[in-house]
Amino acid sequence: MTKFQAIFSQFKQKSKTINSRDVLVGLLIVFFSGWLMTSTFGYHSGKMFIASKAWSDFGAHLPLIRSFSQGDNLPPQYPQFAGPSIKYHYLFYFIVGLVERLGFNIAFSLNAISAVGMGLFLWMFYQTAKLIIGKRSGAILALYLFLFNGSLTFISFFQENWTEGNLLESWLTLKEFANFGPWNGDSISAFWNWNIYTNQRHLGLSFGLILVLIWPLLKAVYQPIQAKTLPTLDLKKWIWIIWLGLILLPFLHQAGYVMTVIFILGWFLFNPSLIERYGLLYFLGLLYSVPGFFYFFEGSKSIGWQLGFLAKKTDIFSIINYWFYNLGAYFLIWPLLLLLADKKDRKLLLIFSSYFVLANLLKLSPDMINNHKLVNFYGVALVILTAKMLINWWQQAGKKGLDYLRTFIILFIVLISFSGWVDAMPIVNDHDLVVPDPQFEPVGVWIKENTSSDSVFVTSTYFYHPANLVGRKTFLDYGYFSWSLGYPDKQRRKYLPMIFAQETNVNQWCNLMTGIKVNYVSINLKGSNLDPVKPKQSWLFKTQLPIKQTIDGFRIYSVTNICQSNF
């Protein structure tokens, strides 16, 4: 038998074990992941089409991608706060940048990697649920429940649309989320629906990788093998997956790395018999990954105590009320699962519950909002074990002929997933905002052709600035992005009145610009975001010749030219 025949025979044998329902689930995951990403970001005729609900997050992510695909950003810096080493897990956007650099447009590059990441996460979620529940039907239910969240946002939907008379039409045409806390003051937060994965494109791949990394440990407990040692072939395969995965995870998602470490240590603590078989494999992987974690963590001063996540008050009643509205019936199911689950499931839920506890006790970054990913991933175990409980009840009701209990289970499933359907329509019905790709616009073309790829700009406007979108770095962003990552935004912002002063000593101005390592100043003639600083009233605008004034409304000043011509 030739090598090809052996491979074909092995493939044929494996294909017999593939279940058609798994294939169908896999195809649905591929379709959903592809649709979700492509429907929220597109690129045609030199224009980027960004879903309005992704507008804010993409204002940070697209410049980061372009800093790799069109700029010079190695070693990486945050492109909208030039200078210090990057504090943001950039690996996902680095990969997207490399794909764009190969010649694909930015939407294809981002959507393809995003869809692969989301698909991996949902497939691993399905496989994990099938492993834990032991039934394919339970895994399908768990996947459904995870995609359609159990918050009480449907109450707000009914309150706002009940008087309209046609709830179905109101739902089908819904364009805004019924709740979008904390930004609009609502108690129910915006982090429990699909929007979190369309906006934070790295999240799906991160969660998928976590489930891949912990899969052997889960399988060893939920589907134990009799052999005392791992088969050689499996060991070789998992060494590279686990070691490489753990090393890369801090660069892909810092919180994901922390959650993975917590799970590994907690699972070994609860299942010490696994240490002999898997301990060295995982502990060496953790050892190799520590430098990557400290690459981002070192010098962080943002960690501190803060109770209640985003609850408006920190008393116990307000926190319970907040989570009841955000988790809905799951908030009541959680203690029930801890009480009734078997030993294996209880251990699993306790470890995942630690993520929820951390999210409510510690502020892990300057912005407490960023703790949402701990709660998102906590939901993985909560939903799977809820589905397991419901499937078991369904089977027991069938055996005892309790049709009324099965009716109740169906109604309960509808109840805990209805908010997910309400939250889906604003994404389906979202409209696009159009950003002309600056690499084809006059100012972007000039910057790309006439400035070095590592140039730094001070700008009078921030969001989607042409300099960022052709791969150049800027001195500041509009404030939130850099602040939330732990950069001293307020300290740096104090330089703006000196840069755009109405009168100045040119020598001092040049010393300042040299000290802060700025190469160019860009003033947008159509407006400014620097209020109360007025760039068009500055000495720079009134007395200095720009190196370029473009027909799309930008004046660009060269620090080098100004300082050389005045001395």
Side-chain angles (χ1 to χ4, degrees):
M1 181 181 290
T2 66
K3 185 175 182 181
F4 175 79
Q5 289 174 324
I7 294 173
F8 180 77
S9 176
Q10 189 178 27
F11 173 78
K12 189 176 180 180
Q13 189 67 31
K14 286 185 176 180
S15 66
K16 294 179 180 179
T17 65
I18 297 175
N19 186 278
S20 59
R21 282 176 288 181
D22 284 347
V23 173
L24 179 59
V25 170
L27 291 174
L28 289 173
I29 285 173
V30 169
F31 174 79
F32 173 77
S33 300
W35 166 81
L36 186 63
M37 300 308 167
T38 57
S39 67
T40 50
F41 185 44
Y43 191 97
H44 308 289
S45 304
K47 294 181 175 65
M48 293 180 269
F49 295 84
I50 306 167
S52 68
K53 293 174 180 59
W55 179 258
S56 177
D57 286 78
F58 273 43
H61 297 152
L62 296 186
L64 185 56
I65 293 168
R66 282 285 170 85
S67 75
F68 295 120
S69 65
Q70 297 190 12
D72 180 6
N73 197 20
L74 291 174
Q77 302 173 23
Y78 180 59
Q80 296 180 82
F81 199 91
S85 62
I86 196 166
K87 296 179 181 290
Y88 187 71
H89 35 248
Y90 60 85
L91 180 60
F92 178 89
Y93 302 99
F94 174 74
I95 295 170
V96 174
L98 290 183
V99 175
E100 189 187 16
R101 199 158 193 149
L102 291 174
F104 299 96
N105 71 55
I106 191 169
F108 175 85
S109 305
L110 181 56
N111 290 336
I113 306 302
S114 302
V116 168
M118 190 69 186
L120 174 67
F121 171 43
L122 294 179
W123 180 251
M124 286 305 303
F125 178 95
Y126 172 70
Q127 292 295 331
T128 302
K130 193 164 63 169
L131 175 70
I132 293 170
I133 298 172
K135 298 179 179 66
R136 187 173 284 104
S137 57
I140 293 172
L141 175 60
L143 187 60
Y144 167 78
L145 292 178
F146 187 81
L147 287 174
F148 295 93
N149 73 83
S151 74
L152 299 187
T153 198
F154 70 87
I155 296 176
S156 297
F157 170 74
F158 279 124
Q159 288 174 340
E160 293 173 11
N161 297 282
W162 188 262
T163 57
E164 299 294 325
N166 192 335
L167 287 174
L168 179 60
E169 182 181 354
S170 297
W171 171 66
L172 289 173
T173 58
L174 192 64
K175 293 184 178 180
E176 300 298 331
F177 292 114
N179 294 109
F180 204 69
W183 292 283
N184 64 352
D186 287 348
S187 295
I188 299 177
S189 296
F191 308 115
W192 322 129
N193 56 62
W194 305 340
N195 191 60
I196 200 66
Y197 299 101
T198 61
N199 286 30
Q200 299 182 22
R201 293 295 187 94
H202 58 285
L203 200 58
L205 182 59
S206 306
F207 285 175
L209 180 57
I210 296 171
L211 292 178
V212 169
L213 291 173
I214 67 176
W215 174 259
L217 296 178
L218 287 171
K219 195 171 183 180
V221 171
Y222 281 95
Q223 197 179 79
I225 58 176
Q226 298 301 317
K228 293 184 178 180
T229 58
L230 282 171
T232 305
L233 183 62
D234 283 352
L235 182 60
K236 289 181 178 179
K237 177 178 69 175
W238 283 106
I239 277 179
W240 292 109
I241 292 174
I242 291 169
W243 287 2
L244 186 60
L246 286 171
I247 289 169
L248 292 179
L249 190 53
F251 298 90
L252 182 64
H253 200 261
Q254 297 165 56
Y257 175 79
V258 172
M259 290 189 287
T260 305
V261 172
I262 289 173
F263 181 87
I264 292 170
L265 298 180
W267 204 241
F268 279 138
L269 180 65
F270 284 140
N271 303 281
S273 61
L274 296 179
I275 295 176
E276 180 181 355
R277 181 179 297 171
Y278 295 95
L280 185 62
L281 177 65
Y282 277 93
F283 288 139
L284 284 177
L286 292 177
L287 182 64
Y288 299 148
S289 65
V290 165
F293 174 69
F294 279 99
Y295 172 81
F296 294 103
F297 184 78
E298 187 177 8
S300 175
K301 299 178 181 178
S302 58
I303 295 179
W305 295 101
Q306 185 167 324
L307 295 178
F309 188 51
L310 299 178
K312 294 179 180 179
K313 297 180 181 179
T314 56
D315 61 278
I316 189 64
F317 176 79
S318 297
I319 294 173
I320 290 174
N321 183 70
Y322 172 82
W323 282 116
F324 175 66
Y325 274 90
N326 280 269
L327 294 180
Y330 287 109
F331 191 65
L332 304 177
I333 294 171
W334 178 25
L336 185 65
L337 290 172
L338 287 171
L339 182 66
L340 300 179
D342 63 29
K343 188 178 294 186
K344 290 183 293 188
D345 292 343
R346 188 178 296 114
K347 292 174 181 177
L348 180 73
L349 187 56
L350 282 172
I351 294 175
F352 273 77
S353 296
S354 70
Y355 308 147
F356 180 83
V357 173
L358 281 175
N360 281 274
L361 290 180
L362 293 176
K363 185 173 72 168
L364 300 175
S365 71
D367 192 352
M368 191 67 173
I369 285 173
N370 293 327
N371 280 14
H372 72 82
K373 65 265 297 180
L374 297 169
V375 183
N376 292 127
F377 201 65
Y378 152 73
V380 168
L382 182 63
V383 167
I384 289 174
L385 294 180
T386 298
K388 185 175 184 178
M389 179 182 70
L390 292 175
I391 287 293
N392 289 338
W393 285 358
W394 179 272
Q395 292 181 332
Q396 290 172 17
K399 292 176 182 178
K400 297 178 181 178
L402 302 176
D403 291 339
Y404 71 90
L405 181 56
R406 284 193 161 186
T407 302
F408 168 78
I409 292 171
I410 292 172
L411 293 175
F412 185 73
I413 290 171
V414 172
L415 174 68
I416 61 176
S417 63
F418 192 74
S419 289
W421 288 97
V422 172
D423 281 338
M425 295 316 296
I427 297 173
V428 173
N429 296 326
D430 201 4
H431 65 282
D432 291 332
L433 300 173
V434 181
V435 177
D437 191 342
Q439 65 175 325
F440 303 118
E441 298 295 308
V443 64
V445 170
W446 187 90
I447 291 173
K448 195 171 179 180
E449 293 179 352
N450 295 275
T451 67
S452 63
S453 56
D454 61 348
S455 298
V456 177
F457 284 70
V458 166
T459 62
S460 63
T461 53
Y462 297 123
F463 236 51
Y464 296 97
H465 193 278
N468 285 139
L469 293 180
V470 295
R472 299 336 183 230
K473 302 179 185 71
T474 51
F475 186 64
L476 285 167
D477 67 9
Y478 80 105
Y480 172 76
F481 295 142
S482 55
W483 166 79
S484 67
L485 294 176
Y487 292 107
D489 175 81
K490 290 184 179 180
Q491 180 180 333
R492 180 170 284 194
R493 201 165 294 278
K494 293 177 182 178
Y495 291 118
L496 291 177
M498 293 180 269
I499 295 171
F500 294 106
Q502 293 187 24
E503 296 180 2
T504 192
N505 178 294
V506 179
N507 183 44
Q508 292 178 350
W509 187 88
C510 289
N511 287 336
L512 169 65
M513 302 300 274
T514 302
I516 60 178
K517 298 180 180 179
V518 168
N519 307 109
Y520 298 93
V521 178
S522 168
I523 296 178
N524 190 339
L525 301 180
K526 298 177 182 178
S528 168
N529 300 134
L530 306 186
D531 192 61
V533 176
K534 308 292 184 184
K536 289 198 287 187
Q537 296 179 14
S538 67
W539 76 279
L540 186 65
F541 187 88
K542 292 179 177 179
T543 68
Q544 301 297 309
L545 291 175
I547 192 173
K548 180 67 177 179
Q549 181 165 327
T550 62
I551 60 174
D552 48 350
F554 289 87
R555 281 190 180 185
I556 299 174
Y557 298 86
S558 166
V559 173
T560 300
N561 285 12
I562 291 172
C563 295
Q564 286 180 348
S565 64
N566 282 276
F567 297 101

